[in-house]
Amino acid sequence: MRVAIVGAGVGGLTAALSLHAAGYNDVVLLEAAREIRDVGVGINLPPHAVRELSELDLEGQLARSGLPTRELAYYDPAGQLIWSEPRGLDAGYRWPQYSFHRVQL
């Protein structure tokens, strides 16, 4: 069976690797960008994404490259906390949440 994945972002690349690991050899990954390059933004990988990437033996590399995210917090312009909640291991998940600069990932 031929599988087509549109988009070579984190999700598309992970899906392609996972399908390959599951024995699918006819996977086509389509991407509009001519090259993958630094776009200057950050990205968060929540625990469910880290779990999938760990299945591809990437957990060690994620831990070396990413910053474990312990909390999500919103502040007002004066710096006063509006809301916060724990993330990753601190929220009780079996896998951490990581934050990256996109080019690191």
Side-chain angles (χ1 to χ4, degrees), residues 24-58:
Y24 290 87
N25 294 316
D26 197 5
V27 177
V28 178
L29 183 60
L30 305 167
E31 174 57 52
R34 293 185 187 271
E35 63 182 298
I36 297 174
R37 60 185 175 86
D38 180 0
V39 293
V41 296
I43 189 167
N44 280 288
L45 292 180
H48 60 279
V50 172
R51 180 191 64 163
E52 290 300 317
L53 292 169
S54 295
E55 290 290 322
L56 297 169
D57 293 324
L58 296 173

Short mmCIF file of all heavy atoms in Angstrom, two decimals, residues 24-58:
data_model
loop_
_atom_site.label_atom_id
_atom_site.label_comp_id
_atom_site.label_asym_id
_atom_site.label_seq_id
_atom_site.Cartn_x
_atom_site.Cartn_y
_atom_site.Cartn_z
N TYR A 24 6.15 -0.26 6.51
CA TYR A 24 5.63 0.35 5.27
C TYR A 24 6.80 0.93 4.50
O TYR A 24 7.48 1.84 4.97
CB TYR A 24 4.61 1.44 5.58
CG TYR A 24 3.31 0.90 6.14
CD1 TYR A 24 3.16 0.69 7.50
CD2 TYR A 24 2.26 0.58 5.30
CE1 TYR A 24 1.99 0.19 8.01
CE2 TYR A 24 1.08 0.07 5.80
CZ TYR A 24 0.95 -0.13 7.16
OH TYR A 24 -0.21 -0.63 7.66
N ASN A 25 7.04 0.44 3.31
CA ASN A 25 8.19 0.87 2.53
C ASN A 25 7.83 1.79 1.39
O ASN A 25 8.71 2.35 0.75
CB ASN A 25 8.95 -0.35 2.00
CG ASN A 25 9.56 -1.15 3.12
OD1 ASN A 25 10.12 -0.58 4.04
ND2 ASN A 25 9.41 -2.46 3.07
N ASP A 26 6.55 1.97 1.13
CA ASP A 26 6.12 2.83 0.03
C ASP A 26 5.44 4.08 0.60
O ASP A 26 4.24 4.26 0.48
CB ASP A 26 5.19 2.07 -0.91
CG ASP A 26 5.03 2.75 -2.25
OD1 ASP A 26 5.71 3.77 -2.50
OD2 ASP A 26 4.20 2.28 -3.06
N VAL A 27 6.25 4.90 1.26
CA VAL A 27 5.76 6.12 1.89
C VAL A 27 6.34 7.31 1.14
O VAL A 27 7.55 7.40 0.95
CB VAL A 27 6.17 6.19 3.38
CG1 VAL A 27 5.71 7.50 4.01
CG2 VAL A 27 5.60 5.01 4.15
N VAL A 28 5.47 8.21 0.70
CA VAL A 28 5.90 9.41 -0.02
C VAL A 28 5.62 10.61 0.87
O VAL A 28 4.51 10.82 1.33
CB VAL A 28 5.13 9.56 -1.36
CG1 VAL A 28 5.53 10.83 -2.07
CG2 VAL A 28 5.35 8.34 -2.23
N LEU A 29 6.66 11.39 1.13
CA LEU A 29 6.55 12.59 1.96
C LEU A 29 6.64 13.81 1.05
O LEU A 29 7.63 14.00 0.36
CB LEU A 29 7.67 12.60 3.00
CG LEU A 29 7.70 13.73 4.00
CD1 LEU A 29 6.43 13.76 4.84
CD2 LEU A 29 8.92 13.58 4.91
N LEU A 30 5.58 14.60 1.03
CA LEU A 30 5.51 15.76 0.15
C LEU A 30 5.67 17.05 0.95
O LEU A 30 5.05 17.21 2.00
CB LEU A 30 4.15 15.78 -0.57
CG LEU A 30 3.81 14.51 -1.34
CD1 LEU A 30 2.35 14.51 -1.74
CD2 LEU A 30 4.71 14.38 -2.55
N GLU A 31 6.49 17.96 0.45
CA GLU A 31 6.75 19.23 1.13
C GLU A 31 6.88 20.33 0.09
O GLU A 31 7.57 20.15 -0.91
CB GLU A 31 8.02 19.12 1.98
CG GLU A 31 8.47 20.42 2.61
CD GLU A 31 7.42 21.07 3.49
OE1 GLU A 31 6.87 20.40 4.38
OE2 GLU A 31 7.14 22.26 3.27
N ALA A 32 6.22 21.46 0.33
CA ALA A 32 6.27 22.59 -0.61
C ALA A 32 7.58 23.37 -0.53
O ALA A 32 8.06 23.90 -1.53
CB ALA A 32 5.09 23.53 -0.36
N ALA A 33 8.18 23.42 0.66
CA ALA A 33 9.43 24.17 0.82
C ALA A 33 10.56 23.46 0.09
O ALA A 33 10.66 22.23 0.12
CB ALA A 33 9.77 24.32 2.30
N ARG A 34 11.40 24.22 -0.56
CA ARG A 34 12.53 23.64 -1.30
C ARG A 34 13.63 23.13 -0.38
O ARG A 34 14.42 22.27 -0.74
CB ARG A 34 13.10 24.65 -2.28
CG ARG A 34 12.13 24.99 -3.39
CD ARG A 34 12.81 25.90 -4.42
NE ARG A 34 11.87 26.37 -5.40
CZ ARG A 34 11.59 25.74 -6.52
NH1 ARG A 34 12.18 24.60 -6.79
NH2 ARG A 34 10.73 26.24 -7.36
N GLU A 35 13.71 23.71 0.82
CA GLU A 35 14.72 23.28 1.78
C GLU A 35 14.18 23.49 3.20
O GLU A 35 13.33 24.34 3.43
CB GLU A 35 16.01 24.06 1.60
CG GLU A 35 15.87 25.55 1.84
CD GLU A 35 17.16 26.32 1.60
OE1 GLU A 35 18.15 26.06 2.30
OE2 GLU A 35 17.16 27.16 0.69
N ILE A 36 14.68 22.70 4.12
CA ILE A 36 14.34 22.88 5.52
C ILE A 36 15.36 23.84 6.09
O ILE A 36 16.57 23.61 6.00
CB ILE A 36 14.36 21.53 6.27
CG1 ILE A 36 13.29 20.60 5.69
CG2 ILE A 36 14.13 21.74 7.76
CD1 ILE A 36 13.32 19.20 6.25
N ARG A 37 14.87 24.94 6.66
CA ARG A 37 15.80 25.95 7.17
C ARG A 37 15.25 26.57 8.44
O ARG A 37 14.09 26.38 8.80
CB ARG A 37 16.05 27.02 6.13
CG ARG A 37 14.82 27.76 5.68
CD ARG A 37 15.16 28.74 4.53
NE ARG A 37 13.96 29.34 4.03
CZ ARG A 37 13.39 30.44 4.53
NH1 ARG A 37 13.95 31.05 5.54
NH2 ARG A 37 12.28 30.92 4.03
N ASP A 38 16.11 27.30 9.11
CA ASP A 38 15.77 27.98 10.35
C ASP A 38 14.73 29.06 10.07
O ASP A 38 14.96 29.95 9.25
CB ASP A 38 17.05 28.59 10.93
CG ASP A 38 16.83 29.32 12.23
OD1 ASP A 38 15.70 29.38 12.72
OD2 ASP A 38 17.82 29.84 12.76
N VAL A 39 13.58 28.97 10.75
CA VAL A 39 12.55 30.00 10.58
C VAL A 39 12.41 30.85 11.84
O VAL A 39 11.54 31.69 11.92
CB VAL A 39 11.18 29.39 10.19
CG1 VAL A 39 11.25 28.79 8.80
CG2 VAL A 39 10.71 28.37 11.19
N GLY A 40 13.27 30.63 12.84
CA GLY A 40 13.34 31.50 14.00
C GLY A 40 12.22 31.39 15.01
O GLY A 40 11.95 32.34 15.71
N VAL A 41 11.58 30.25 15.10
CA VAL A 41 10.49 30.11 16.06
C VAL A 41 10.75 28.91 16.96
O VAL A 41 11.54 28.03 16.66
CB VAL A 41 9.13 29.94 15.35
CG1 VAL A 41 8.77 31.17 14.57
CG2 VAL A 41 9.12 28.73 14.44
N GLY A 42 10.05 28.90 18.08
CA GLY A 42 10.15 27.80 19.02
C GLY A 42 9.04 26.80 18.80
O GLY A 42 8.05 27.07 18.13
N ILE A 43 9.22 25.64 19.39
CA ILE A 43 8.21 24.59 19.28
C ILE A 43 8.21 23.79 20.58
O ILE A 43 9.24 23.63 21.22
CB ILE A 43 8.50 23.67 18.07
CG1 ILE A 43 7.34 22.71 17.82
CG2 ILE A 43 9.80 22.93 18.22
CD1 ILE A 43 7.41 22.00 16.49
N ASN A 44 7.04 23.37 20.99
CA ASN A 44 6.89 22.52 22.17
C ASN A 44 6.43 21.14 21.74
O ASN A 44 5.55 21.02 20.90
CB ASN A 44 5.85 23.11 23.13
CG ASN A 44 6.42 24.22 23.94
OD1 ASN A 44 7.22 23.98 24.84
ND2 ASN A 44 6.04 25.44 23.65
N LEU A 45 7.04 20.13 22.34
CA LEU A 45 6.61 18.76 22.11
C LEU A 45 5.96 18.27 23.40
O LEU A 45 6.65 18.03 24.40
CB LEU A 45 7.79 17.86 21.76
CG LEU A 45 8.46 18.11 20.42
CD1 LEU A 45 9.61 17.13 20.24
CD2 LEU A 45 7.46 17.97 19.28
N PRO A 46 4.63 18.10 23.40
CA PRO A 46 3.96 17.60 24.60
C PRO A 46 4.26 16.11 24.82
O PRO A 46 4.81 15.44 23.94
CB PRO A 46 2.48 17.84 24.29
CG PRO A 46 2.39 17.93 22.81
CD PRO A 46 3.71 18.43 22.32
N PRO A 47 3.92 15.60 26.00
CA PRO A 47 4.26 14.21 26.34
C PRO A 47 3.83 13.17 25.31
O PRO A 47 4.58 12.22 25.05
CB PRO A 47 3.55 13.99 27.67
CG PRO A 47 3.52 15.35 28.29
CD PRO A 47 3.28 16.29 27.13
N HIS A 48 2.67 13.32 24.69
CA HIS A 48 2.24 12.31 23.71
C HIS A 48 3.14 12.32 22.48
O HIS A 48 3.38 11.28 21.88
CB HIS A 48 0.76 12.48 23.33
CG HIS A 48 0.41 13.79 22.73
ND1 HIS A 48 0.19 14.92 23.48
CD2 HIS A 48 0.26 14.16 21.44
CE1 HIS A 48 -0.09 15.93 22.67
NE2 HIS A 48 -0.05 15.49 21.44
N ALA A 49 3.68 13.48 22.11
CA ALA A 49 4.62 13.54 20.98
C ALA A 49 5.97 12.95 21.38
O ALA A 49 6.60 12.23 20.60
CB ALA A 49 4.78 14.98 20.51
N VAL A 50 6.42 13.25 22.60
CA VAL A 50 7.68 12.70 23.09
C VAL A 50 7.59 11.17 23.17
O VAL A 50 8.54 10.46 22.83
CB VAL A 50 8.05 13.32 24.46
CG1 VAL A 50 9.26 12.61 25.07
CG2 VAL A 50 8.32 14.81 24.30
N ARG A 51 6.45 10.66 23.56
CA ARG A 51 6.27 9.20 23.60
C ARG A 51 6.47 8.59 22.22
O ARG A 51 7.17 7.60 22.05
CB ARG A 51 4.88 8.85 24.12
CG ARG A 51 4.65 7.34 24.17
CD ARG A 51 3.22 7.01 24.41
NE ARG A 51 2.45 7.50 23.27
CZ ARG A 51 1.25 7.12 22.96
NH1 ARG A 51 0.61 6.27 23.71
NH2 ARG A 51 0.63 7.60 21.91
N GLU A 52 5.86 9.19 21.20
CA GLU A 52 6.00 8.66 19.84
C GLU A 52 7.44 8.74 19.35
O GLU A 52 7.95 7.80 18.74
CB GLU A 52 5.07 9.41 18.88
CG GLU A 52 3.61 9.14 19.10
CD GLU A 52 3.26 7.68 18.93
OE1 GLU A 52 3.74 7.03 17.99
OE2 GLU A 52 2.49 7.16 19.77
N LEU A 53 8.10 9.86 19.61
CA LEU A 53 9.49 9.99 19.19
C LEU A 53 10.41 9.06 19.98
O LEU A 53 11.41 8.59 19.46
CB LEU A 53 9.94 11.45 19.32
CG LEU A 53 9.25 12.40 18.34
CD1 LEU A 53 9.53 13.85 18.70
CD2 LEU A 53 9.67 12.11 16.90
N SER A 54 10.05 8.78 21.23
CA SER A 54 10.82 7.82 22.03
C SER A 54 10.73 6.42 21.43
O SER A 54 11.70 5.65 21.48
CB SER A 54 10.30 7.80 23.47
OG SER A 54 10.54 9.04 24.08
N GLU A 55 9.58 6.09 20.85
CA GLU A 55 9.41 4.79 20.18
C GLU A 55 10.36 4.67 18.99
O GLU A 55 10.68 3.57 18.57
CB GLU A 55 7.97 4.61 19.71
CG GLU A 55 6.97 4.42 20.83
CD GLU A 55 7.13 3.08 21.52
OE1 GLU A 55 7.41 2.08 20.83
OE2 GLU A 55 6.97 3.05 22.75
N LEU A 56 10.81 5.80 18.46
CA LEU A 56 11.77 5.81 17.35
C LEU A 56 13.21 5.95 17.85
O LEU A 56 14.10 6.29 17.10
CB LEU A 56 11.43 6.95 16.38
CG LEU A 56 10.07 6.85 15.71
CD1 LEU A 56 9.73 8.14 14.99
CD2 LEU A 56 10.03 5.67 14.75
N ASP A 57 13.41 5.69 19.14
CA ASP A 57 14.74 5.77 19.78
C ASP A 57 15.35 7.17 19.73
O ASP A 57 16.56 7.31 19.61
CB ASP A 57 15.70 4.74 19.18
CG ASP A 57 15.29 3.31 19.49
OD1 ASP A 57 14.78 3.08 20.61
OD2 ASP A 57 15.48 2.45 18.63
N LEU A 58 14.53 8.19 19.82
CA LEU A 58 15.02 9.56 19.79
C LEU A 58 14.97 10.25 21.16
O LEU A 58 15.31 11.41 21.28
CB LEU A 58 14.21 10.39 18.78
CG LEU A 58 14.34 9.94 17.33
CD1 LEU A 58 13.37 10.70 16.45
CD2 LEU A 58 15.77 10.13 16.85
#
